[in-house]
Amino acid sequence: MGKGVGTLYGVSVGTGDPELITVKGQRLLQQVPVIAFPLGVNGKEGLAQTIITPWITAQQKKLPLYFPYLQDKKVLQKAWQQAAKMVWSYLSQGIDVAFACEGDVSFYSTFTYLAQTLKKDYPQLPIQTVPGVSSPMAAASVLGLPLTLGSQNLAILPALYNVAELDEVLSWADVIVLLKVSSVYTQVWQKLDTLNLLDCAFVVERANQSEEKIYQNLRDHPTINLSYFSIMIISLGQNQ
Ligand SMILES: C[S@@+](CC[C@H](N)C(=O)[O-])C[C@H]1O[C@@H](n2cnc3c(N)ncnc32)[C@H](O)[C@@H]1O
């Protein structure tokens, strides 16, 4: 890579409370001239942007990037390429860019696709990531529970396309975290009811945000209209 290329930083900004950003993440967000972040749904402000607002200034260039919430690989790739092009227009001039990522940057994050797309065309591009608070840890903290203890096995399912997958996971895991639970909540509830496990399950919606909600005693909640930012923890026993 030629001289004078900027560095791309992937900065984890945590799950909602701006104070959950690391000191290093905050410093980088304040020092770079350009801040990129995913555009929210329907062109609204995204969560990462809301979280970093107290830490950045009006003088810094804001670069909202569009990443569609769908599965179509072709559409996704096009969006990653467009985002990479926008980011590269600054990096190529030697200007550093920080991408603010909700939760942790290495945990099911769009940043990885952006970084991989750029790396393909510019293999020597300097990229650095800053780790942060991720939703399973945030949810455990909100619930006042340890996420795992002793020899417990932890399973994290990024999305559940088939509720029968839970049976297989339940055969070896002691603690199961379901991301993106909002779209399958009712089916999961029915499964847990059949297995008599509703008392072991908890849902946290919008952890560390002003709209944060906790759902325990799930027997009383066969359906819930949950936001995308909701997570379920199924904890099969804390005494091992
Ligand atoms: C694509 S994943 C991104 C995970 C993120 N990078 C992290 O470290 O937590 C999105 C899922 O994470 C979970 N999630 C993220 N932030 C959350 C929050 N503040 N409260 C509850 N769940 C959250 C939800 O299950 C959501 O559907």
Side-chain angles (χ1 to χ4, degrees):
M1 181 112 309
K3 243 175 110 187
V5 170
T7 297
L8 175 64
Y9 296 99
V11 179
S12 307
V13 301
T15 41
D17 180 346
E19 291 196 341
L20 291 176
I21 298 179
T22 62
V23 175
K24 183 167 184 171
Q26 184 196 0
R27 176 177 60 73
L28 283 169
L29 285 176
Q30 290 175 332
Q31 117 189 359
V32 298
V34 180
I35 315 250
F37 41 78
L39 192 63
V41 182
N42 299 328
K44 288 192 198 142
E45 183 170 302
L47 181 53
Q49 185 182 5
T50 309
I51 295 171
I52 63 175
T53 297
W55 303 126
I56 59 178
T57 63
Q59 287 71 46
Q60 289 173 290
K61 167 81 189 158
K62 317 295 179 307
L63 198 61
L65 301 173
Y66 171 63
F67 299 107
Y69 283 80
L70 40 75
Q71 302 293 327
D72 187 327
K73 204 74 202 242
K74 269 196 181 154
V75 180
L76 285 171
Q77 261 161 359
K78 203 171 159 206
W80 300 333
Q81 273 155 8
Q82 272 170 359
K85 209 170 146 189
M86 286 175 76
V87 172
W88 178 247
S89 69
Y90 294 94
L91 295 171
S92 60
Q93 298 177 60
I95 301 171
D96 293 342
V97 178
F99 180 95
C101 166
E102 190 268 336
D104 179 86
V105 71
S106 67
F107 190 70
Y108 304 110
S109 162
T110 315
F111 176 78
T112 305
Y113 301 113
L114 175 66
Q116 282 174 349
T117 306
L118 281 161
K119 269 278 180 196
K120 223 161 53 192
D121 289 338
Y122 315 106
Q124 306 304 319
L125 173 70
I127 300 181
Q128 287 181 34
T129 56
V130 181
V133 174
S134 196
S135 48
M137 288 73 189
S141 159
V142 166
L143 289 165
L145 292 174
L147 183 60
T148 50
L149 271 182
S151 59
Q152 288 184 324
N153 292 325
L154 170 67
I156 296 181
L157 306 186
L160 205 59
Y161 299 108
N162 173 359
V163 178
E165 289 170 50
L166 258 187
D167 286 319
E168 196 277 317
V169 174
L170 282 163
S171 70
W172 61 269
D174 306 290
V175 180
I176 299 135
V177 173
L178 301 183
L179 301 179
K180 300 185 187 163
V181 70
S182 56
S183 55
V184 287
Y185 176 80
T186 306
Q187 296 96 298
V188 171
W189 187 93
Q190 284 162 358
K191 183 82 193 168
L192 294 177
D193 188 30
T194 310
L195 299 172
N196 201 25
L197 290 177
L198 281 170
D199 293 337
C200 307
F202 311 89
V203 172
V204 180
E205 183 175 20
R206 291 192 168 274
N208 313 127
Q209 298 166 31
S210 54
E211 309 93 326
E212 176 185 286
K213 271 194 193 154
I214 297 177
Y215 297 91
Q216 338 199 32
N217 307 320
L218 291 190
R219 273 183 202 292
D220 302 338
H221 299 285
T223 60
I224 317 177
N225 188 15
L226 290 168
S227 111
Y228 169 78
F229 291 102
S230 301
I231 190 166
M232 179 182 278
I233 298 181
I234 306 166
S235 187
L236 301 182
Q238 302 283 346
N239 52 357
Q240 291 161 54

